[in-house]
Amino acid sequence: MSPEEFDARYQEALEKALAHMAENPEIAPSQFYSLATFLENLSIFSPVLYGLLIDSKKS
């Protein structure tokens, strides 16, 4: 899997998680905002996660 493909799949997974949280009535709007911000910050680390996964496969 290429870094671009990994990034696309990772972004898709984060977006799906965000969509499910948005549809859940048990999550308060303030919690949703905090979780959405957290997920957005996670997306920045996609290249780092990809590198860690590739390195772990080599070991």
Side-chain angles (χ1 to χ4, degrees):
M1 178 183 310
S2 71
E4 293 81 15
E5 186 179 5
F6 176 82
D7 187 49
R9 289 183 180 189
Y10 187 68
Q11 290 292 336
E12 183 181 340
L14 292 177
E15 288 174 12
K16 285 183 181 181
L18 189 62
H20 285 290
M21 287 188 309
E23 295 170 356
N24 188 336
E26 295 179 10
I27 297 178
S30 61
Q31 289 176 324
F32 177 78
Y33 177 76
S34 296
L35 291 169
T37 303
F38 177 73
L39 289 176
E40 183 178 344
N41 289 336
L42 278 179
S43 68
I44 296 169
F45 294 102
S46 175
V48 174
L49 292 173
Y50 178 79
L52 290 172
L53 289 172
I54 293 300
D55 287 346
S56 70
K57 285 185 178 181
K58 291 179 182 177
S59 300

